[in-house]
Amino acid sequence: MIREVRRRDAVVMKDGDLFDPPVAENAVVDYGGVTLEMLMVDGSSLSLCRMGPGDVLLDLETFCTPVFSLCYRADRPTRISWTRRPAFGARDAYDGMQELLVACMRRVHELACLQTAHRLYCELLRFAAEAPDGVSLVLPSQGQLALRLCTTRETISRELSFLRREGVLSAGREPRLLNRGFLVSTLSRALGVIEEADLLRSLGIRHAR
C-alpha cells in the first residue's frame, strides 16, 4: 500500500541531517535510517528510537513543548519519500502518535530514575539491536553519548573503560559486545523486571538478535 502511493520526488539526507515532515503529508523511509530525537532548550539532543526502511515518519509539531521539540535525524545516508494521508487510516495515525509518546516517556523515565551507567547500558543494548550481527556496535562519539545521556564526556569514558576491563566490550572505536548478559542482568535488576523480553520491550527494542 505504501509503495503504491509514494510520489516520485524524494529527499536524500546525509548522516546527521535533520528532517521535519510537512504537516499535510506523511513521509516514509525508503532506505537508510533516522533517529527520533528530543531537542532540549539547552541544545542537548536525546535519542528516543530508531526507524528504518518502510517506517512512516509522522508530523511532530503536536509533540513540541516549551521545554523540548522533536525531530528526525539521519544516522546514515537516507532517502525519504512522501505519501498522501488518505493512504493511512485514523487508527494508524493514533498508533503512531501513541508510540512516540511512549518513547518520550521512556526517555524521561530513564533520565529521572536510572543512574548514568545504566542509561549507557540501555543505549548499548539499543545499538546492539541495530547491528547486523547483534554484537558489532557503531557508537557515536563520547561527546555525543554524553549529550544523549545528560552527563559528561569524562563519565562516559570512565564507564566504557570499566566495561572493557570487565570484558563486556572489546577495545576500539567500534567495539564488539562480548557479554550481553551483563547488561541485561544489570538493567533487569535496576528496572525490576524478570523476563528479558520485558526488559527489551521497556527499552523500546522490538527485536533482539
Side-chain angles (χ1 to χ4, degrees):
M1 172 67 77
I2 292 176
R3 192 176 301 109
E4 291 175 355
V5 299
R6 285 179 182 167
R7 295 181 179 178
R8 295 188 179 183
D9 56 322
V11 59
V12 177
M13 300 188 296
K14 302 185 297 298
D15 184 11
D17 285 352
L18 295 178
F19 177 72
D20 187 12
V23 176
E25 299 171 335
N26 282 320
V28 179
V29 179
D30 280 333
Y31 65 74
V34 298
T35 299
L36 175 62
E37 293 188 352
M38 180 186 296
L39 302 180
M40 311 302 289
V41 291
D42 64 359
S44 61
S45 175
L46 308 177
S47 174
L48 295 177
C49 59
R50 297 176 181 84
M51 310 180 78
D55 285 337
V56 178
L57 308 182
L58 297 177
D59 165 40
L60 301 175
E61 183 177 349
T62 56
F63 296 98
C64 296
T65 74
V67 178
F68 69 84
S69 61
L70 299 179
C71 74
Y72 299 103
R73 185 188 303 273
D75 52 33
R76 69 200 79 167
T78 300
R79 187 176 73 180
I80 304 294
S81 63
W82 317 117
T83 66
R84 296 186 297 273
R85 280 198 186 278
F88 306 93
R91 183 67 189 179
D92 297 304
Y94 173 80
D95 289 343
M97 290 182 180
Q98 186 178 47
E99 184 175 349
L100 293 183
L101 288 174
V102 169
C104 290
M105 293 306 299
R106 180 187 303 120
R107 176 59 71 176
V108 170
H109 173 267
E110 289 178 9
L111 291 173
C113 302
L114 294 182
Q115 59 180 271
T116 301
H118 295 165
R119 300 201 299 270
L120 176 60
Y121 298 172
C122 292
E123 284 295 283
L124 293 177
L125 285 178
R126 291 183 181 117
F127 279 111
E130 294 295 322
D133 59 2
V135 296
S136 299
L137 310 183
V138 181
L139 302 179
S141 68
Q142 292 183 5
Q144 290 173 321
L145 277 174
L147 284 175
R148 289 187 182 190
L149 302 179
C150 292
T151 186
T152 64
R153 182 185 178 283
E154 292 74 20
T155 300
I156 294 297
S157 178
R158 183 170 61 250
E159 295 296 342
L160 291 176
S161 295
F162 166 77
L163 293 175
R164 292 188 180 101
R165 289 197 305 272
E166 294 296 311
V168 179
L169 294 179
S170 66
R173 173 68 179 80
E174 297 183 2
R176 292 174 60 82
L177 181 57
L178 305 177
N179 187 352
R180 183 174 177 276
F182 174 86
L183 302 182
V184 170
S185 61
T186 302
L187 286 174
S188 294
R189 290 193 299 270
L191 294 173
V193 297
I194 298 176
E195 299 295 332
E196 180 176 341
D198 293 334
L199 169 66
L200 297 180
R201 187 159 48 246
S202 72
L203 300 182
I205 299 175
R206 301 178 184 176
H207 59 278
R209 295 178 174 84

